[in-house]
Amino acid sequence: MKVSVLCRGILILVFLWNGMPAYVNSAICARGRATFVRTSSVTLGTSVYTGSDDFVALPQTDSTQCYSLCYHNNDCKGYFLDHLNQTCILTKEEHLVIRPLLKYYQAGSYHRKICLSGLKCKRHWAFDVVPGIRFVKQEDKVVPDIGSEDRCIEACSIEKSFVCRSAIYEFATRNCILSMHDRRTAPEAFKMSFKDADYIENQCISEPSQCVFHEQKRWMLVHLHVYLSISSTTRERCREACVEHEDFRCRSFMFDEARALCLLTPEDSYSTPESVISVDKQRDGKIYELGSCINVKMQCDSTSMTAILRVSKPFGGRVYSLGHPKECYAVTAGDKGEIAITLPLHGRKCGTKNLGNGTFTNDVVVQHHPFILRNTDRRIDIACDYEEVKQRVRSGKEVEEGVSQSLPQVIMGLAPTPRVQLLVVKTTGEGINGVELGDPLVLKVAMLDESVYGIFGSNLVARSGEGSDTMLLIDERGCPVEPNVFPSLTPAPKSKSLQAPFQAFKFASDSTVKFQMTVSFCLDVCPPVNCRSNNTQSFQRHRRSAAVANTSFLEVQAGDFVNDVIMESTLFTVASSKSAPPRAGKLNVESRPFIHTSEKGLCLTLPFVIKVAVTIGVIQVALIGFCAMFLIFSRKSPGYSNKPRQIISSTPIINNAKLFPDIS
């Protein structure tokens, strides 16, 4: 029995030792550096890697250990992490084989190895990839027919004319599109793509110094890639640990003061899938997310201060002083994507405040849409200090406006028709009075009597509470003007009523919004119409229709127009901006601290390495042969028990050694 235990110990040492030559020879990336590209929220089916010699599954293995095992072995082409079950899967398969096999899994991530020349980045992965997404109108540089996604990533990593924050690789054209913006600096340009394309985000760049963290009161970390910082016993130390973390770009952290618990994660409200979002009122700790890092330069003059902001191109919105959107604003961005707004130091015109110690401050809002304010827009606090003649910028605060009272609903009917209501409700069907920017809402045109008529909507207009600002959402044909702001009206399930989901928005000068639209009645059902400009369908009047309000049913055919009703919704208040929605689930915080490994290798001559490798190989073969012979004769001996036994080992690698002998 003692000899059997000794043999198993020798086998463990042999298997672990097999990883060391790979570490010594890790310079397989000639003149370059091995790193990884991460795809989050994906995994492989169990049937793909079970029983395959090209995969090995290691239970109870944290992300740093999994990274180290793959990084230090030349045969490893990538690894998968299950952050919920703490499972690591190493693979020898190439990315072209793996990519079609990926499937959605919110608690997983796939890290493939890549060699990038000249990259100086110590993080565990250099780029994030999001399949099926593109960056609209952010083409700072296009490299046609680059050949592969890896070469597109390489092009972004070595770009010299500007800081490449992201890239798009189109598989059909093999074009590579580089951009100085990403999904956080230009969230309005981050769109789903009908083409086979990958969005690639650079993780090796530094953020502007003006970035700050904001508490997110309505969501929490859910089965994400997290790091437990055991030395961070205060919120400030936890924030510093997030800023200084080297394994990945930390974008959010959670701190539980009661347990002095600090968790760091590379995820935030932009990268976490919407499918995992829901309310969780039982969470512990507070979540803090890195705010919008808008690059700002200040110029402080004797009578004014000028903020120069780097915005996404093309910029069709406005930059204005909070509370003075019509008096103090700028709308034109230069060729480099910079827009400047100059604010006077004195007077009440633009709301500049004198703190009395030589410091003047103001609040600037960056609004990407020309008329309405949405949750992707940001507020920046700017300041000039004239005592020390220095520039200071504080950025990332969320926009907050005043609150107004709701007004009663107004309905104006032109003819006796079925009762209809124009309502704005929550997605659950509950009524609203006040909401936050970005809240999911539904506009409903509810017809209470659906026995005879059908309806369609047109000329939908959003108005501010005072009526000074308006915006056309659906035109006279019944087609959406800007589908990304407000989609087309579609029939409610099992009903002739109409509905359209949208996210709450507001006007820059007013926190209250109401809708006005023309609701038209058709006999039986209103036929849909194709809105060719945006590939959506809406429901509008029959083209042959010319009937008037008092026309009898015998004079019209099914689908013909019968009558119009102009309706207004209840006025509701958009109180403030919300950075992220609530999230579901509870996080298993009993993960082990990361084990940091040194990246310094051994510098040995080639003949010496060959001699050592041959010697070690001979010793290994002898040891394995001796143990194998011993186990065979032990099984044949009379005292050997044929009953199955369960071997429990603290080293999960043993169970997978036969499947993946070259990866430790």
Side-chain angles (χ1 to χ4, degrees):
M1 178 62 69
K2 292 183 179 180
V3 179
S4 177
V5 173
L6 177 62
C7 284
R8 289 192 175 90
I10 292 174
L11 289 176
I12 294 173
L13 293 175
V14 169
F15 183 78
L16 294 177
W17 182 259
N18 279 334
M20 295 187 64
Y23 179 76
V24 175
N25 296 323
S26 59
I28 192 172
C29 281
R31 301 181 181 179
R33 179 183 177 83
T35 184
F36 290 87
V37 176
R38 183 187 72 146
T39 305
S40 59
S41 302
V42 295
T43 190
L44 284 178
T46 306
S47 60
V48 175
Y49 62 85
T50 302
S52 171
D53 292 337
D54 294 324
F55 297 89
V56 57
L58 308 176
Q60 298 302 311
T61 306
D62 65 37
S63 58
T64 297
Q65 292 171 327
C66 192
Y67 160 79
S68 181
L69 288 171
C70 189
Y71 181 82
H72 292 144
N73 194 291
N74 294 337
D75 291 333
C76 183
K77 299 298 191 299
Y79 63 93
F80 290 82
L81 291 172
D82 185 332
H83 303 286
L84 177 60
N85 299 312
Q86 288 192 328
T87 301
C88 165
I89 301 174
L90 307 175
T91 179
K92 295 179 181 179
E93 286 285 11
E94 297 289 346
H95 175 58
L96 294 179
V97 177
I98 293 291
R99 188 176 186 270
L101 304 176
L102 297 177
K103 67 177 186 177
Y104 173 75
Y105 175 55
Q106 67 186 48
S109 59
Y110 164 49
H111 306 244
R112 68 180 181 93
K113 189 180 288 186
I114 187 175
C115 185
L116 298 179
S117 62
L119 182 67
K120 298 179 180 180
C121 182
K122 296 182 180 180
R123 295 189 168 106
H124 284 185
W125 62 91
F127 286 85
D128 268 331
V129 169
V130 184
I133 298 292
R134 68 179 302 108
F135 225 36
V136 180
K137 299 180 180 179
Q138 301 300 319
E139 301 178 355
D140 292 299
K141 184 176 182 179
V142 178
V143 184
D145 196 16
I146 198 168
S148 69
E149 185 175 62
D150 287 3
R151 296 189 66 182
C152 185
I153 294 174
E154 177 87 12
C156 185
S157 66
I158 64 174
E159 178 59 42
K160 301 298 183 183
S161 60
F162 58 87
V163 176
C164 179
R165 300 182 69 94
S166 69
I168 296 291
Y169 179 70
E170 298 176 339
F171 287 88
T173 63
R174 301 197 300 180
N175 290 343
C176 179
I177 304 170
L178 309 182
S179 175
M180 65 178 66
H181 293 280
D182 59 27
R183 55 181 161 179
R184 293 167 183 85
T185 62
E188 73 285 351
F190 194 66
K191 307 292 183 183
M192 292 293 295
S193 175
F194 295 104
K195 299 179 180 179
D196 190 10
D198 277 355
Y199 167 80
I200 305 164
E201 189 173 279
N202 194 346
Q203 303 301 301
C204 294
I205 57 177
S206 59
E207 297 288 2
S209 60
Q210 298 88 356
C211 300
V212 295
F213 287 87
H214 305 285
E215 181 182 351
Q216 307 302 314
K217 298 181 180 180
R218 299 177 59 191
W219 64 276
M220 69 172 299
L221 307 181
V222 185
H223 308 321
L224 302 178
H225 191 136
V226 295
Y227 172 90
L228 174 62
S229 180
I230 58 177
S231 61
S232 301
T233 56
T234 65
R235 186 182 66 179
E236 182 59 27
R237 287 185 179 180
C238 190
R239 187 195 68 82
E240 292 176 357
C242 185
V243 173
E244 298 171 359
H245 194 63
E246 294 184 351
D247 290 351
F248 51 77
R249 284 177 65 190
C250 178
R251 296 192 180 94
S252 303
F253 69 89
M254 187 192 83
F255 184 74
D256 183 358
E257 187 173 2
R259 294 180 288 174
L261 175 67
C262 175
L263 298 176
L264 314 179
T265 176
E267 308 294 353
D268 59 9
S269 59
Y270 295 95
S271 59
T272 303
E274 293 290 332
S275 58
V276 305
I277 293 173
S278 64
V279 176
D280 183 359
K281 298 181 179 179
Q282 304 298 324
R283 67 149 197 215
D284 296 323
K286 296 181 179 179
I287 306 296
Y288 298 87
E289 179 179 299
L290 189 63
S292 177
C293 300
I294 300 177
N295 209 328
V296 184
K297 295 184 295 184
M298 291 298 299
Q299 293 180 356
C300 303
D301 300 322
S302 58
T303 59
S304 64
M305 58 181 178
T306 301
I308 304 174
L309 303 94
R310 176 72 62 82
V311 295
S312 57
K313 300 183 300 180
F315 184 70
R318 300 165 33 139
V319 175
Y320 57 86
S321 172
L322 181 65
H324 304 270
K326 296 185 178 180
E327 298 87 5
C328 306
Y329 64 91
V331 295
T332 304
D335 295 337
K336 296 182 179 180
E338 293 184 341
I339 185 170
I341 178 171
T342 300
L343 306 172
L345 298 180
H346 306 284
R348 300 181 179 179
K349 179 182 178 182
C350 294
T352 303
K353 297 177 182 179
N354 185 354
L355 302 185
N357 57 357
T359 300
F360 293 81
T361 66
N362 208 320
D363 301 324
V364 173
V365 176
V366 181
Q367 177 180 299
H368 292 88
H369 193 276
F371 303 114
I372 59 176
L373 188 67
R374 294 178 286 178
N375 67 321
T376 54
D377 299 324
R378 294 291 180 232
R379 163 180 152 182
I380 305 168
D381 292 355
I382 60 174
C384 277
D385 193 331
Y386 287 87
E387 287 187 340
E388 300 180 9
V389 195
K390 65 180 183 180
Q391 304 170 358
R392 297 191 304 175
V393 180
R394 312 180 198 96
S395 70
K397 288 189 177 179
E398 300 163 0
V399 181
E400 296 183 357
E401 296 281 345
V403 178
S404 300
Q405 297 295 324
S406 297
L407 298 180
Q409 184 178 12
V410 178
I411 301 178
M412 296 178 290
L414 301 179
T417 50
R419 289 186 300 161
V420 289
Q421 288 181 311
L422 183 60
L423 306 171
V424 179
V425 297
K426 298 180 181 178
T427 53
T428 59
E430 301 176 70
I432 61 169
N433 286 322
V435 295
E436 295 180 335
L437 281 176
D439 274 352
L441 302 175
V442 178
L443 178 73
K444 286 190 174 182
V445 186
M447 185 168 59
L448 304 183
D449 182 5
E450 301 181 348
S451 60
V452 177
Y453 291 101
I455 56 175
F456 74 89
S458 61
N459 297 314
L460 175 63
V461 176
R463 298 183 182 276
S464 61
E466 299 177 353
S468 57
D469 293 314
T470 62
M471 178 182 175
L472 182 64
L473 302 176
I474 293 181
D475 60 21
E476 61 181 2
R477 300 177 301 152
C479 295
V481 177
E482 295 186 58
N484 61 326
V485 175
F486 200 95
S488 59
L489 290 162
T490 58
K494 300 180 182 180
S495 173
K496 293 182 181 179
S497 299
L498 303 178
Q499 63 182 20
F502 69 100
Q503 290 185 334
F505 58 82
K506 64 183 287 294
F507 293 94
S509 60
D510 197 336
S511 298
T512 54
V513 180
K514 64 180 177 181
F515 295 99
Q516 179 179 339
M517 71 178 300
T518 300
V519 178
S520 300
F521 294 86
C522 305
L523 185 61
D524 192 17
V525 177
C526 297
V529 61
N530 285 322
C531 302
R532 296 182 179 178
S533 59
N534 47 35
N535 269 340
T536 60
Q537 270 199 341
S538 192
F539 285 75
Q540 75 163 23
R541 72 180 63 188
H542 201 286
R543 293 184 178 179
R544 298 172 300 155
S545 170
V548 293
N550 58 359
T551 303
S552 67
F553 297 149
L554 296 177
E555 296 173 341
V556 293
Q557 300 179 15
D560 280 349
F561 161 68
V562 175
N563 195 18
D564 280 346
V565 172
I566 301 175
M567 305 181 65
E568 289 187 354
S569 71
T570 302
L571 187 70
F572 62 94
T573 302
V574 182
S576 64
S577 174
K578 177 185 66 174
S579 291
R583 307 188 178 192
K586 292 185 178 180
L587 178 68
N588 178 16
V589 297
E590 296 181 358
S591 57
R592 294 171 289 171
F594 283 17
I595 302 174
H596 295 279
T597 58
S598 173
E599 294 189 11
K600 295 182 178 180
L602 299 176
C603 250
L604 303 176
T605 61
L606 183 60
F608 180 81
V609 171
I610 293 174
K611 292 179 181 178
V612 172
V614 171
T615 303
I616 292 174
V618 172
I619 294 174
Q620 289 179 7
V621 171
L623 289 173
I624 292 174
F626 169 77
C627 290
M629 293 296 294
F630 173 82
L631 292 176
I632 291 172
F633 284 109
S634 297
R635 291 177 180 270
K636 293 182 178 180
S637 64
Y640 184 84
S641 174
N642 291 325
K643 295 182 180 180
R645 293 182 300 162
Q646 182 180 8
I647 300 174
I648 300 176
S649 172
S650 60
T651 307
I653 301 177
I654 300 176
N655 298 329
N656 299 276
K658 292 188 296 181
L659 301 180
F660 212 96
D662 297 327
I663 292 183
S664 52

